[in-house]
Amino acid sequence: MEEDELQEKEFFSWEEFSAFFDAWCERRKVLFFVKNSVPLSKCKWATAPPRPDVVEALKYSSVRLVCKDFRGSSKPDQGGQQKGCCASIVLKMSPKKDRLIVTECQLTHNHALCPIEFAYYFKKGYLMANSCLPVRTTNKISKQFVGGPDVRRLLSYCKSRDHGVLDVLTVLDGLFASDPSAKVKLVFMEDKVIVQTIFFLSSRMMALSRRFPLMLFFDRMVGLNEEFDLYSVLCVDGAGRGREVAYCLTQRETPDLLRFTLASLVQSVPEVKLQVRCITLGVEIAHLEAVKELLPNARVQICRSQVLETLFSKAQELGAAEDERIWPLLCRLAAAKSPAAYQQAVQEMKTILPQRFVRYFRRHWQPRSEMWVQFWAFETARNVNACELLKQHQRRLLAALSPSPTVAQCMLDLLAMQVGSEAHELDEGELATHYRAICKPEPAGLIEEELGFARHGRYRFQETAEGYLLHDGLSKFTMDQALTRCSCSIYTSSLLPCRHLFATRLRTGLALFDPGLLHRNRAALLGAC
Ligand SMILES: [Zn+2]
Ligand SMILES: [Zn+2]
């Protein structure tokens, strides 16, 4: 009897049962689904509760699986149609609370079993995946932006800590609690409750990308983790620093991250689409054609120093001799300031580097020379050194991230880094020196004093139609869009930049040293009479 094989059978984990049952269903071509279940994590106990590791392993105190043709078998016959099928299996935790036991099984179907239907509907691993969150929920929400209420709903469905999904959702819940307009996109692996990719940006990052959309940078962090990768999008703020405007955490080797990240960024901040003029990519980023489509006005550059390093190590890999001339030659190639200089370096390459390398170069780097050779791929405006900016960002990430973090921990670290970053970047002494160089001693002293208050922890900021609103816990102050004027008495009496202007500039990424801040009080300037 089939029943005998199952009745009273014991399993020491839900995983063990799922694997057994998948194979069992495959042999018999039967389709079952979970009709009701009671997760152990949600049980109340009159006596001592099971140990946490048992809760983790067994997952359920009871589960009822029914045939796919179940259809509420108590309903009356309609138009002579067959009643629903009664085949079912019940699994319960043993009284000793250490295993699951099949307590009921009824395996007679009132219909033929169809192998074609089985092949179509059967999904191996489905029972296991569903034990954390309903797979239909994760499939539905996948690749879409989620908000605070979505995350709370997912959290309420969450039955176990499997695959760190619960931890990720908890971090997202915290993010939305402090920043309800943050943007988050979650991608789950198809039919599994495993987070494949998370795209996220805070409202502050959105404000930065609106204010500084001209140049963007996109790169992967090297050496983060065995399991997942971190990609960041940066912009350049008013002080020439690289600032994060979006993050994407993803299982390693997920393809086409450039397209996914840029598309998600453009969906979050639509106005950047036409404003980006240049995007610099890390050397290993693929599918560059995505840029043309998503940022139609942007030219693509590839980080020159990374190309140089790649060429150098490839030359050695392809059998280049130890030759002191190779590195300077590659540098001349990358830094060529005219097409002729570039051509000449290519010619020289043929004499000192092996043929295999020259072929590799022709295939991979020659066609893209306009994206990395200095003559074509100039860094646009404001003396931004793209390579240095990407390197600094790598260093900041290395300092901020816990060693080999989980996805959830990595998100926490990244969010904490956002909060801490502006305070680190404020060098009051240096700024005061700049102001002293252009201002008379008395106004310079006043400005220095105000700079000291720029880091105030209690300030709350808000963007308005006219500019910015700052709340210091007692009063509110309004500032213009360009952040040169404030409604406070310090500014209105002195016409010198006040703590509120500095604090808001710090937060939005505008330069704190800006001679434009003194346009309305020229008498404060040295050399003025
Ligand atoms: Zn059936
Ligand atoms: Zn003010």
Side-chain angles (χ1 to χ4, degrees), residues 435 437-441 443-444 447 484 491 493-497 514-529:
Y435 278 108
I438 62 165
C439 289
K440 289 174 181 159
I447 291 173
T484 56
Y491 177 81
S493 62
S494 68
L495 295 181
L496 292 173
D514 181 352
L517 286 167
L518 297 161
H519 279 346
R520 285 184 199 85
N521 186 350
R522 295 192 171 268
L525 293 172
L526 282 174
C529 32

Side-chain angles (χ1 to χ4, degrees), residues 30-32 67-70 85-87 108-111 113:
V30 286
L31 292 156
F32 279 87
C67 172
K68 185 188 149 291
D69 286 335
F70 169 76
C85 176
C86 295
T108 321
H109 297 265
N110 65 348
H111 51 95
L113 298 173

Side-chain angles (χ1 to χ4, degrees), residues 477 486 488 491 498-501:
F477 306 97
C486 179
C488 74
Y491 177 81
C498 62
R499 59 193 72 180
H500 314 116
L501 286 172

Side-chain angles (χ1 to χ4, degrees), residues 497-518:
C498 62
R499 59 193 72 180
H500 314 116
L501 286 172
F502 285 133
T504 316
R505 283 180 160 248
L506 191 56
R507 188 179 163 87
T508 52
L510 270 191
L512 269 68
F513 174 70
D514 181 352
L517 286 167
L518 297 161

Side-chain angles (χ1 to χ4, degrees), residues 74 76 99 115 138 177 231 234 275-276 297 305 326 334 404:
S74 61
R99 66 196 75 177
T138 53
Y231 291 84
L234 310 178
Q275 291 172 337
V276 182
N297 295 332
S305 65
I326 294 175
S404 186

Side-chain angles (χ1 to χ4, degrees), residues 192-441:
K192 286 188 181 142
V193 184
I194 296 177
V195 176
Q196 182 171 46
T197 306
I198 308 173
F199 168 89
F200 65 103
L201 72 174
S202 62
S203 47
R204 258 177 65 195
M205 291 159 94
M206 267 186 268
L208 275 168
S209 60
R210 274 193 201 106
R211 196 176 259 279
F212 306 106
L214 288 183
M215 293 178 81
L216 295 183
F217 301 81
F218 180 78
D219 200 8
R220 183 181 78 94
M221 180 183 173
V222 180
L224 170 68
N225 196 299
E226 304 275 283
E227 288 161 57
F228 57 93
D229 277 328
L230 169 63
Y231 291 84
S232 330
V233 185
L234 310 178
C235 70
V236 188
D237 74 8
R241 290 169 307 207
R243 304 282 293 257
E244 297 81 10
V245 294
Y247 286 119
C248 192
L249 268 164
T250 180
Q251 299 270 343
R252 288 202 89 159
E253 328 254 302
T254 304
D256 223 357
L257 256 299
L258 177 63
R259 177 183 301 276
F260 172 79
T261 310
L262 291 183
S264 306
L265 177 66
V266 167
Q267 285 164 348
S268 307
V269 192
E271 51 271 54
V272 304
K273 185 177 175 87
L274 299 175
Q275 291 172 337
V276 182
R277 290 282 180 270
C278 177
I279 181 163
T280 304
L281 308 172
V283 72
E284 48 173 70
I285 305 297
H287 301 291
L288 310 190
E289 67 281 0
V291 174
K292 191 112 224 82
E293 194 182 311
L294 293 158
L295 304 172
N297 295 332
R299 52 180 286 137
V300 178
Q301 302 194 352
I302 304 171
C303 177
R304 185 149 46 241
S305 65
Q306 291 184 15
V307 175
L308 203 47
E309 280 157 25
T310 306
L311 287 176
F312 188 65
S313 63
K314 199 72 186 181
Q316 281 159 338
E317 190 189 315
L318 296 178
E322 287 267 331
D323 189 332
E324 287 171 352
R325 293 172 301 171
I326 294 175
W327 178 251
L329 168 63
L330 294 174
C331 290
R332 274 206 305 288
L333 184 77
K337 294 206 172 52
S338 67
Y342 171 75
Q343 279 312 328
Q344 199 194 336
V346 173
Q347 288 307 318
E348 276 177 57
M349 205 160 74
K350 291 178 192 158
T351 63
I352 59 172
L353 280 152
Q355 268 231 309
R356 282 171 67 201
F357 175 81
V358 177
R359 268 203 305 276
Y360 159 81
F361 176 80
R362 283 241 169 90
R363 192 167 324 127
H364 294 279
W365 294 104
Q366 172 91 2
R368 297 195 278 176
S369 50
E370 298 193 347
M371 297 182 189
W372 59 275
V373 177
Q374 193 158 3
F375 173 71
W376 295 284
F378 51 88
E379 263 125 23
T380 27
R382 290 198 283 147
N383 300 322
V384 173
N385 180 336
C387 308
E388 193 46 41
L389 189 133
L390 286 174
K391 261 191 211 147
Q392 275 171 9
H393 176 63
Q394 282 276 346
R395 282 199 290 271
R396 270 209 312 277
L397 288 175
L398 277 173
L401 296 176
S402 324
S404 186
T406 60
V407 174
Q409 184 62 47
C410 186
M411 292 184 70
L412 278 178
D413 292 342
L414 292 172
L415 293 167
M417 178 174 130
Q418 289 301 302
V419 176
S421 66
E422 58 194 20
H424 288 302
E425 282 156 10
L426 176 63
D427 185 341
E428 291 155 46
E430 196 194 320
L431 288 164
T433 313
H434 287 319
Y435 278 108
R436 254 182 264 122
I438 62 165
C439 289
K440 289 174 181 159

Side-chain angles (χ1 to χ4, degrees), residues 34 37 39 42 60 125-142 153-160 165 169 188-194:
V34 174
S37 65
K42 308 220 159 147
Y60 299 102
Y126 208 69
L127 283 177
M128 190 57 209
N130 264 290
S131 63
C132 174
L133 262 177
V135 166
R136 69 185 137 73
T137 311
T138 53
N139 278 349
K140 203 162 118 200
I141 215 158
S142 191
R153 190 161 47 87
L154 287 171
L155 271 174
S156 75
Y157 291 160
C158 226
K159 289 173 278 193
S160 74
V165 174
L169 291 173
F188 285 94
M189 285 187 183
E190 177 111 2
D191 294 325
K192 286 188 181 142
V193 184
I194 296 177

